[in-house]
Amino acid sequence: PGVLDQRIVGLSVELLGGKHALNCHRMKPALFSVLCEIKEKTGLSVRSSQEEEPVDPQLMRLDNMLLAEGVAGPEKGGGLVAAAAAAAASGGVSPDSSIEHSDYRHKLAQIRQIYHAELEKYEQACNEFTTHVMNLLREQSRTRPVAPREIERMVGIIHRKFSSIQMQLKQSTCEAVMILRSRFLDARRKRRNFSKQATELLNEYFYSHLSNPYPSEEAKEQLAKQGGITVCQVSNWFGNKRIRYKKNIGKFQEEANIYTVKTAMSVTHGTQSGGSGGSFNLSSSSEMFLGLPGLNGDTLPAPPQVESLRHSMSQGPYGEGLASGQLYSPRDVRVNPTQLLPPASIPCPAAAS
DNA sequence: ACTGATGATTCGAT
DNA sequence: ATCGAATCATCAGT
């Protein structure tokens, strides 16, 4: 009906001009609901922007970011599977992080879905609105002269308006992604105990290099790789282990025995495969430095040596000895002068320097 | 809720 | 740059 259409044109001008934009209850319901939704979701008034038609840098930034985050851009149906496969293949020993990864990806996918749905809705609404306005103008052209430039201008205004709405959508999507991201990073920063396998690996190395528990960079990398943790985590672990071991050797005596036995077993049973046969020498005298407790001589007065423990291999809390032999690099038996200075008598329990 | 274990962070020294 | 040391923050068993 002409009256209503007249009203719509008027309202479109109102809308585009930015005056009480959302007061129109007679607006096309679809468009109205879309705009209401925008208003609700963004918390921003639709009339807020009124500028730039050149490709503004902010829009480009938003686009780039959305693209980089995988929100915009091509559908990646197989992408998730591929990513999961890659994550599983690259290490396979990080269930926690992969769970977090999948959680992250899931939420990102949700954002992506919402984003695309909204984008499509806007697109559709924009087209509908444009064609409708054009139809009205065409109709009006029967009763009054309508210059093509006026139509162009109208269409231009509509498109600009809708693209600014799109930008708001992109902006809020970006915000959502960033929030998700920061949450994800926070979650990753949370402490998780290492897997049993990783801990065993580290302990085996530590106790079999007790005289010089300072793994080289390569050794760290290898430990990290095999344990499914980072080199930095390996360094942290050794840092913590050294200081805590030194502080209370007695507490670690049992653990030391266990791992020494394990190592001894793997040596005597020839489970080594790396060809680095007897590269590190457990019976070297320097091995005794940290191993000599003197604190609780009740269980084992002497540091656990391979020879003396051959007979007591009966008890092993850790049932299966997983291949650990190839870990130890022969080149790593460097002697750190600073560690060998104090006589193996009292290892300074309460190191209050 | 409490507590010990443990991974991460920080800081000064080398 | 890396270490020891102290400390923080969280986990995990009770």
Side-chain angles (χ1 to χ4, degrees), chain A residues 22 35-48 167-169 171-172 175:
Chain A
L22 291 176
L35 289 176
C36 279
E37 235 178 289
I38 296 166
K39 194 177 180 186
E40 279 172 15
K41 289 198 175 173
T42 59
L44 296 168
S45 163
V46 177
R47 60 188 140 138
S48 62
M167 185 150 109
Q168 285 170 21
L169 170 69
Q171 202 154 11
S172 56
E175 277 172 30

Side-chain angles (χ1 to χ4, degrees), chain A residues 246-260:
Chain A
K246 197 175 101 178
K247 266 188 173 179
N248 192 353
I249 292 177
K251 200 173 65 182
F252 291 93
Q253 195 64 67
E254 198 182 345
E255 192 178 80
N257 292 344
I258 291 164
Y259 283 103
T260 311

Side-chain angles (χ1 to χ4, degrees), chain A residues 97-315:
Chain A
S97 78
S98 69
I99 285 172
E100 281 170 15
H101 265 87
S102 75
D103 196 31
Y104 174 75
R105 283 203 312 271
H106 180 67
K107 287 186 173 144
L108 193 64
Q110 278 184 335
I111 291 177
R112 179 190 165 86
Q113 198 180 341
I114 292 172
Y115 171 77
H116 278 109
E118 293 294 306
L119 207 59
E120 200 176 330
K121 238 194 276 180
Y122 296 171
E123 204 87 40
Q124 196 185 337
C126 180
N127 286 338
E128 271 178 37
F129 198 81
T130 306
T131 54
H132 195 73
V133 168
M134 280 180 71
N135 284 340
L136 294 176
L137 284 173
R138 208 173 297 139
E139 230 170 84
Q140 285 195 357
S141 70
R142 291 190 206 132
T143 57
R144 71 174 176 92
V146 175
R149 223 174 12 157
E150 191 184 342
I151 299 177
E152 269 177 44
R153 191 176 138 272
M154 210 62 177
V155 171
I157 291 173
I158 292 170
H159 282 178
R160 239 176 298 154
K161 207 66 196 176
F162 269 92
S163 73
S164 86
I165 291 169
Q166 272 191 16
M167 185 150 109
Q168 285 170 21
L169 170 69
K170 286 174 182 175
Q171 202 154 11
S172 56
T173 305
C174 271
E175 277 172 30
V177 170
M178 288 178 78
I179 289 169
L180 176 66
R181 230 180 141 68
S182 73
R183 248 188 234 149
F184 173 65
L185 291 175
D186 282 350
R188 270 201 314 188
R189 204 178 307 145
K190 273 190 179 178
R191 196 175 73 73
R192 293 253 186 286
N193 287 355
F194 296 159
S195 68
K196 195 171 174 179
Q197 186 213 359
T199 308
E200 271 189 54
L201 223 51
L202 294 164
N203 272 316
E204 278 172 26
Y205 188 97
F206 180 80
Y207 287 110
S208 62
H209 296 72
L210 211 46
S211 68
N212 188 36
Y214 298 84
S216 66
E217 197 56 37
E218 297 117 39
K220 280 182 196 172
E221 279 169 20
Q222 208 162 357
L223 285 169
K225 197 175 167 187
Q226 295 198 16
I229 54 180
T230 67
V231 173
C232 180
Q233 286 176 306
V234 173
S235 297
N236 284 338
W237 189 91
F238 273 91
N240 284 322
K241 191 71 181 181
R242 281 192 299 264
I243 189 67
R244 284 164 185 164
Y245 182 82
K246 197 175 101 178
K247 266 188 173 179
N248 192 353
I249 292 177
K251 200 173 65 182
F252 291 93
Q253 195 64 67
E254 198 182 345
E255 192 178 80
N257 292 344
I258 291 164
Y259 283 103
T260 311
V261 169
K262 276 174 72 87
T263 306
M265 283 175 70
S266 74
V267 169
T268 54
H269 283 56
T271 44
Q272 285 192 342
S273 58
S276 58
S279 46
F280 59 91
N281 203 347
L282 271 179
S283 58
S284 92
S285 61
S286 62
E287 205 70 43
M288 320 235 333
F289 162 51
L290 284 173
L292 259 184
L295 288 181
N296 75 335
D298 46 354
T299 49
L300 264 186
Q305 299 272 335
V306 178
E307 314 297 332
S308 60
L309 285 168
R310 282 236 179 94
H311 326 290
S312 58
M313 308 189 304
S314 49
Q315 77 284 50

Side-chain angles (χ1 to χ4, degrees), chain A residues 312-329:
Chain A
S312 58
M313 308 189 304
S314 49
Q315 77 284 50
Y318 302 91
E320 55 293 327
L322 30 111
S324 59
Q326 61 269 55
L327 246 185
Y328 311 121
S329 155

